[in-house]
């Protein structure tokens, strides 16, 4: 079973509108972290925001916020007031403290291609 | 200068050739990782290292080997490159002292094409 699921392969959004990118995760580890990365067409991976499994409040970083619903195992990224420069691939990822006996490192979803239209 | 530097940034090589991708970091992190990105598949973990003497296989290690020459350097080798190893490769680092909090810092990526 996939550990990170991003159900939106692509999205078109009008400039200045808010955007929600969906991410659901699967883990039995009580301690984990959830990450969102942006990958523009140039290819680099840019860290956007982080949420820890024990964090009581949703994480925010400027125009980015993470809507963390632990019981539903969802960690959606919200971008307020979208800009043309937000057009990129967006990846949700998870690190588990105990890794379920598996490898360390991040487990990534397949990504969402976001296109902001003027 | 970037905190995590990958060389080369782009490389075209022939099938059967040996190739090494290099990664160096100035963040002082103990953990280093190699990921591979294929279109539509996200990033997948190839190898990771907790320190110089601790190297572990990831999800897709077949056909690859690594060397941790120093805390700051982690190299990925393809002993005999094949076309399906054409991909974008990323090196990343994290700080084990942060536990799950340690966000992964990524290099700029190496675009490898095997012809």
């Amino acid at each position: 079973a996939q550990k990170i699921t991003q159900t939106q392969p692509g999205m078109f959004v009008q400039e200045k509108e808010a955007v929600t990118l969906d991410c659901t995760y699967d883990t039995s580890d009580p301690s984990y972290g959830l990450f969102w990365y942006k990958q523009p067409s140039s290819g680099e991976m840019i860290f956007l925001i982080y949420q820890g499994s024990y964090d009581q409040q949703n994480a925010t970083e400027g125009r980015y916020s993470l809507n963390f619903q632990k019981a539903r195992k969802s960690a959606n990224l919200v971008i307020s007031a979208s800009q043309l420069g937000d057009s990129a691939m967006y990846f949700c990822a998870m690190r588990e403290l105990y890794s379920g006996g598996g490898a360390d490192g991040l487990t990534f979803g397949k990504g969402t291609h976001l296109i902001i239209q003027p | 200068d970037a905190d995590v530097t990958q060389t080369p940034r782009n490389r075209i090589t022939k099938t059967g050739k040996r190739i090494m991708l290099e990664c160096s970091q100035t963040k002082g992190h103990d953990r280093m990782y190699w990921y591979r990105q294929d279109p539509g598949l996200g990033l997948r973990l190839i190898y990771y290292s907790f320190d110089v003497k601790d190297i572990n296989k990831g999800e897709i290690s077949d056909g690859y080997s690594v060397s941790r020459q120093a805390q700051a350097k982690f190299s990925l080798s393809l002993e005999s490159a094949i076309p399906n190893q054409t991909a974008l490769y990323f090196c990343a680092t994290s700080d084990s002292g942060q536990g799950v909090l340690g966000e992964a810092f990524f290099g700029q990526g190496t675009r490898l094409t095997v012809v």
Side-chain angles (χ1 to χ4, degrees):
Chain A
Q2 282 190 322
K3 286 198 169 185
I4 297 288
T5 302
Q6 295 181 251
T7 58
Q8 306 151 311
M11 287 184 70
F12 289 87
V13 174
Q14 289 296 120
E15 189 180 8
K16 299 182 183 178
E17 290 184 351
V19 181
T20 298
L21 304 181
D22 295 340
C23 174
T24 58
Y25 60 93
D26 182 26
T27 181
S28 56
D29 196 327
S31 185
Y32 53 89
L34 297 158
F35 303 77
W36 277 92
Y37 290 87
K38 173 183 179 181
Q39 186 178 43
S41 58
S42 52
E44 69 267 32
M45 295 291 287
I46 302 168
F47 167 76
L48 294 178
I49 196 167
Y50 163 84
Q51 180 87 38
S53 59
Y54 295 115
D55 292 343
Q56 296 297 311
Q57 293 188 324
N58 287 342
T60 60
E61 290 285 349
R63 293 187 300 115
Y64 304 108
S65 61
L66 199 153
N67 184 3
F68 181 47
Q69 298 187 43
K70 193 171 183 177
R72 298 178 60 185
K73 293 188 175 178
S74 74
N76 298 340
L77 177 70
V78 180
I79 306 174
S80 63
S82 58
Q83 302 170 355
L84 296 177
D86 294 333
S87 295
M89 284 292 293
Y90 287 81
F91 291 97
C92 180
M94 176 174 65
R95 171 178 284 121
E96 299 162 286
L97 182 61
Y98 299 108
S99 303
D104 186 49
L106 294 167
T107 300
F108 284 83
K110 294 184 178 181
T112 295
H113 189 191
L114 176 64
I115 297 174
I116 307 299
Q117 296 176 311
Chain B
D1 288 342
D3 294 321
V4 183
T5 303
Q6 292 183 231
T7 56
R9 294 293 309 279
N10 290 282
R11 180 74 181 266
I12 300 174
T13 192
K14 293 184 177 180
T15 298
K17 292 290 187 181
R18 183 179 187 275
I19 182 168
M20 178 182 288
L21 309 182
E22 298 186 339
C23 176
S24 63
Q25 54 121 342
T26 59
K27 299 199 70 65
H29 288 170
D30 52 342
R31 297 186 178 185
M32 298 187 73
Y33 309 81
W34 276 104
Y35 292 89
R36 165 179 172 160
Q37 183 181 19
D38 296 281
L41 291 180
L43 279 72
R44 293 180 292 166
L45 183 64
I46 306 173
Y47 269 95
Y48 62 103
S49 170
F50 289 151
D51 62 34
V52 173
K53 296 182 179 180
D54 189 348
I55 293 177
N56 304 277
K57 293 182 178 181
E59 178 187 353
I60 52 165
S61 59
D62 288 348
Y64 302 94
S65 62
V66 291
S67 172
R68 185 86 181 263
Q69 301 95 325
Q71 186 185 35
K73 295 183 182 297
F74 193 36
S75 301
L76 176 72
S77 293
L78 287 69
E79 296 300 328
S80 180
I82 56 177
N84 77 1
Q85 291 177 313
T86 294
L88 183 57
Y89 290 85
F90 285 100
C91 175
T93 73
S94 70
D95 180 2
S96 64
Q98 297 293 318
V100 290
L101 302 176
E103 68 198 56
F105 291 85
F106 283 82
Q108 313 97 311
T110 295
R111 197 169 296 277
L112 176 67
T113 303
V114 183
V115 298

